[in-house]
Amino acid sequence: MAVLTKAEALAIIRRAYGPDLAQSIEDRLPDRIDPDDDADAEFLATLGLTRDGLANAMGGEL
């Protein structure tokens, strides 16, 4: 999975989890997110997001 900008991550989150969740966590997301990095994956998990959920939203092509 590639490093994502905040805007890219929000677009994927909107697709995978809906606009309400994306809006509610927007202020907490860092400028760059690497879902393959353990620390970033842990952070995403605290927001209720999973690497698999994000990958599925993009057809498995993150």
Side-chain angles (χ1 to χ4, degrees), residues 3 11 24 28 32 38-42 47 57 59:
V3 175
S24 73
R28 293 186 278 172
R32 296 203 174 270
D38 289 340
D40 283 357
E42 243 180 74
L47 299 175

Side-chain angles (χ1 to χ4, degrees), residues 34-45 51:
D34 181 355
D36 289 329
D37 179 84
D38 289 340
D40 283 357
E42 243 180 74
F43 171 72
L44 292 172
R51 181 182 182 278

Side-chain angles (χ1 to χ4, degrees), residues 1 15 51-62:
M1 206 178 272
R15 178 185 259 175
R51 181 182 182 278
D52 289 341
L54 297 174
N56 288 338
M58 295 307 295
E61 294 186 21
L62 279 181

Side-chain angles (χ1 to χ4, degrees), residues 2-56:
V3 175
L4 304 169
T5 66
K6 183 176 185 175
E8 291 169 332
L10 284 169
I12 295 167
I13 293 165
R14 277 187 199 96
R15 178 185 259 175
Y17 298 95
D20 292 339
L21 179 64
Q23 184 177 5
S24 73
I25 65 171
E26 183 173 2
D27 293 340
R28 293 186 278 172
L29 288 178
D31 291 333
R32 296 203 174 270
I33 301 165
D34 181 355
D36 289 329
D37 179 84
D38 289 340
D40 283 357
E42 243 180 74
F43 171 72
L44 292 172
T46 67
L47 299 175
L49 308 172
T50 66
R51 181 182 182 278
D52 289 341
L54 297 174
N56 288 338

